[in-house]
Amino acid sequence: MPRSYLKTDEARDAAEMKYLLASKIRRRKEEIHNYILDRRAEIHKRIIYRRHLFLNYRSTSTLPSPNEEDLQNHVPIPADPGWWERVVMTEFGPEDWLDKFHITRDIFLLLHAKLKPQLEQVYIEQSGQTITLERCIAMALMRLSTSTEYCFLSELFGVPIPAVCQCVREVCEAIILLLKPLYMQLPADHELEEQAEQFHTLWGFPHCIGVIDSLHIPVKSPSTDTQDCWNPRRWHSVVLQGVVNAKGSFWDVCSGFTGSTDDTTILQSSELWTMAEEGGFCSQPPKELMGQPLGFLLLGDAGYSLQTWLLKCYPSSPNLTLQQQTFNVQLNRGIKVTENAFQRLKARWQCLHNRNDSNIDLVSKMAVACCILHNICNVHNSPFKEEWVKALSQNECPQPTDVSTVYIDDPKAKAVRSLLCSYFEQQQQSKTLDQSPTSSTFLSVPEPLQVDNAGTA
């Protein structure tokens, strides 16, 4: 073939390739241009919104953060009554709802429908005005999720500060009254067995129906009983006790104790203790473990006393047997579920993490309401942002360490813990036997106990 034809083909191929590349580059430029326009529009909307917040905040930044008791005679500041209708209800997208309220719009509408029988309209006596339920719930949610100050919420929603305080209290009380029976309650007898099976499958601990732990919520120095609010870390706090199931939802909470109260005292003062001591964790007929009857169990850390229904690790010692070490590993693995639950609780509802300037009574109600909202978000699979967890790293108030309570342990509970030690040893031996070449030749189907313990979180 003549060389001239070869050059023509090469030129034609090069031209086609050049055309294809130019087309791809043009389409890519159009995509980038459209993305930039969309991004600029989104940024512009956020700049306008944040400028509005900043201007309002700057006008009140010189004022001290007010306590609820000091707000009764407060003179309302001129506000923007149209922000809620003009911005939130018309322009907010899914990300905006998560950023400002830490929930989705669907969950907000669910709360509105559920709380309407109790709070159809909130009449504020101090200001003589009626506040719509939507605005009332939004103010409470922003206070719970971002720990925004009352004066800032007043400016943002166009509501006097005393009205904001009352809305937060009314909404928290309504959540506890109307939603706690739906989303958080002590499990019935038939539900105890279901929860134990679920915990065994996910975390490998038999007969366990939950993990108990406590959370210290930072508060400002109260006017009275200051000494009682000091916790072992030397900062003021209110304590929340919670029991978490295998999937990280709370089924019992107890709040309102001052920071100096130890975990065992809080437990003994709660309905949970009465329920357990009266045999509420014992099924009829009783379930068996390794041929011995055994009731349902809770797991706890060193701050709790050892009970026949509440187990904790063996104290650290170089003299621990291999059985006891294995038990500690299994129990610590189960306790992770409550550590994760409390972390997510504080991350989504940051009024439990940042220093709260409300009075102790309201802080206690806010804590219980946040646990209920935590369960609602779990039930409805509300998105969770990891950036909320990063905010917890800036922690000026680290949680107090657990103080061992060996001196008040129930001697009868040691037999229960020894039984679990034997169980985990048997499971370990069975697992080792199944993994050996000899046993795998003869065993084609694993034992039920081995299957139950194969599940991991």
Side-chain angles (χ1 to χ4, degrees), residues 27-40:
R27 286 196 301 269
R28 183 57 179 166
K29 285 183 177 180
E30 291 176 355
E31 292 175 357
I32 294 174
H33 179 69
N34 292 335
Y35 173 79
I36 292 175
L37 291 179
D38 293 341
R39 186 60 179 166
R40 283 178 178 174

Side-chain angles (χ1 to χ4, degrees), residues 346-399:
K346 292 188 298 180
R348 189 187 292 270
W349 308 108
Q350 294 181 8
C351 68
L352 306 180
H353 169 67
N354 299 319
R355 197 177 295 276
N356 200 316
D357 59 1
S358 300
N359 61 45
I360 292 179
D361 173 63
L362 181 54
V363 171
S364 175
K365 293 178 180 179
M366 293 168 72
V368 176
C370 288
C371 292
I372 298 170
L373 292 170
H374 169 90
N375 287 0
I376 294 174
C377 291
N378 284 353
V379 169
H380 296 281
N381 297 317
S382 179
F384 182 87
K385 288 191 168 186
E386 292 302 325
E387 64 190 53
W388 299 338
V389 178
K390 294 180 181 178
L392 302 183
S393 61
Q394 302 174 356
N395 189 3
E396 299 178 356
C397 303
Q399 291 291 307

Side-chain angles (χ1 to χ4, degrees), residues 68-205:
E68 190 176 7
E69 295 86 350
D70 302 331
L71 298 176
Q72 301 304 319
N73 299 321
H74 178 79
V75 178
I77 303 172
D80 179 11
W83 176 82
W84 171 256
E85 290 80 5
R86 188 182 67 254
V87 179
V88 179
M89 299 305 292
T90 59
E91 298 182 10
F92 264 29
E95 288 297 317
D96 296 313
W97 279 93
L98 286 176
D99 287 341
K100 306 309 180 294
F101 302 104
H102 291 191
I103 61 170
T104 62
R105 182 188 177 98
D106 290 339
I107 292 183
F108 177 84
L109 297 176
L110 171 70
L111 293 175
H112 176 269
K114 295 290 186 181
L115 300 180
K116 191 173 183 179
Q118 180 75 10
L119 300 172
E120 188 165 3
Q121 284 187 328
V122 181
Y123 180 73
I124 307 301
E125 296 180 356
Q126 294 93 329
S127 61
Q129 72 179 92
T130 300
I131 301 175
T132 60
L133 178 58
E134 294 91 342
R135 195 177 294 200
C136 185
I137 295 175
M139 287 188 291
L141 289 176
M142 186 171 284
R143 172 67 175 171
L144 296 177
S145 61
T146 62
S147 197
T148 306
E149 295 181 351
Y150 287 117
C151 57
F152 195 31
L153 292 174
S154 171
E155 282 291 299
L156 196 57
F157 287 89
V159 177
I161 292 180
V164 178
C165 298
Q166 187 170 341
C167 280
V168 173
R169 180 179 291 274
E170 293 277 355
V171 170
C172 289
E173 291 176 350
I175 289 174
I176 296 172
L177 177 65
L178 299 179
L179 301 185
K180 186 177 180 181
L182 300 177
Y183 292 94
M184 181 195 298
Q185 54 186 330
L186 295 174
D189 292 342
H190 68 280
E191 294 173 328
L192 291 174
E193 185 172 353
E194 295 175 2
Q195 293 204 15
E197 292 177 354
Q198 190 176 75
F199 203 97
H200 192 190
T201 301
L202 294 177
W203 300 95
F205 209 103

Side-chain angles (χ1 to χ4, degrees), residues 378-432:
N378 284 353
V379 169
H380 296 281
N381 297 317
S382 179
F384 182 87
K385 288 191 168 186
E386 292 302 325
E387 64 190 53
W388 299 338
V389 178
K390 294 180 181 178
L392 302 183
S393 61
Q394 302 174 356
N395 189 3
E396 299 178 356
C397 303
Q399 291 291 307
T401 54
D402 301 316
V403 179
S404 179
T405 58
V406 176
Y407 63 95
I408 56 176
D409 289 348
D410 184 354
K412 298 179 182 178
K414 295 180 180 180
V416 177
R417 192 162 59 178
S418 297
L419 177 64
L420 268 298
C421 284
S422 301
Y423 169 79
F424 288 125
E425 181 185 30
Q426 183 188 73
Q427 293 297 102
Q428 188 69 29
Q429 292 175 351
S430 299
K431 183 177 179 180
T432 303

Side-chain angles (χ1 to χ4, degrees), residues 114-315:
K114 295 290 186 181
L115 300 180
K116 191 173 183 179
Q118 180 75 10
L119 300 172
E120 188 165 3
Q121 284 187 328
V122 181
Y123 180 73
I124 307 301
E125 296 180 356
Q126 294 93 329
S127 61
Q129 72 179 92
T130 300
I131 301 175
T132 60
L133 178 58
E134 294 91 342
R135 195 177 294 200
C136 185
I137 295 175
M139 287 188 291
L141 289 176
M142 186 171 284
R143 172 67 175 171
L144 296 177
S145 61
T146 62
S147 197
T148 306
E149 295 181 351
Y150 287 117
C151 57
F152 195 31
L153 292 174
S154 171
E155 282 291 299
L156 196 57
F157 287 89
V159 177
I161 292 180
V164 178
C165 298
Q166 187 170 341
C167 280
V168 173
R169 180 179 291 274
E170 293 277 355
V171 170
C172 289
E173 291 176 350
I175 289 174
I176 296 172
L177 177 65
L178 299 179
L179 301 185
K180 186 177 180 181
L182 300 177
Y183 292 94
M184 181 195 298
Q185 54 186 330
L186 295 174
D189 292 342
H190 68 280
E191 294 173 328
L192 291 174
E193 185 172 353
E194 295 175 2
Q195 293 204 15
E197 292 177 354
Q198 190 176 75
F199 203 97
H200 192 190
T201 301
L202 294 177
W203 300 95
F205 209 103
H207 286 241
C208 179
I209 56 175
V211 183
I212 186 171
D213 203 355
S214 61
L215 173 69
H216 285 255
I217 304 167
V219 295
K220 289 194 174 181
S221 177
S223 56
T224 59
D225 298 330
T226 303
Q227 194 65 30
D228 290 338
C229 287
W230 284 105
N231 61 37
R233 286 277 192 175
R234 305 305 297 166
W235 47 271
H236 293 96
S237 64
V238 173
V239 187
L240 167 71
Q241 173 187 279
V243 182
V244 177
N245 65 17
K247 292 188 175 181
S249 294
F250 293 90
W251 58 261
D252 182 74
V253 294
C254 181
S255 182
F257 295 88
T258 57
S260 62
T261 314
D262 62 86
D263 291 346
T264 297
T265 300
I266 296 174
L267 175 58
Q268 292 176 346
S269 304
S270 66
E271 295 181 5
L272 183 69
W273 176 273
T274 304
M275 174 185 176
E277 289 296 298
E278 292 179 352
F281 293 165
C282 297
S283 61
Q284 296 299 331
K287 301 296 179 180
E288 292 188 351
L289 182 70
M290 298 184 66
Q292 297 188 35
L294 179 64
F296 296 113
L297 305 169
L298 294 180
L299 306 182
D301 55 34
Y304 294 97
S305 60
L306 185 67
Q307 303 293 324
T308 55
W309 49 271
L310 173 57
L311 300 184
K312 62 180 181 180
C313 288
Y314 288 93

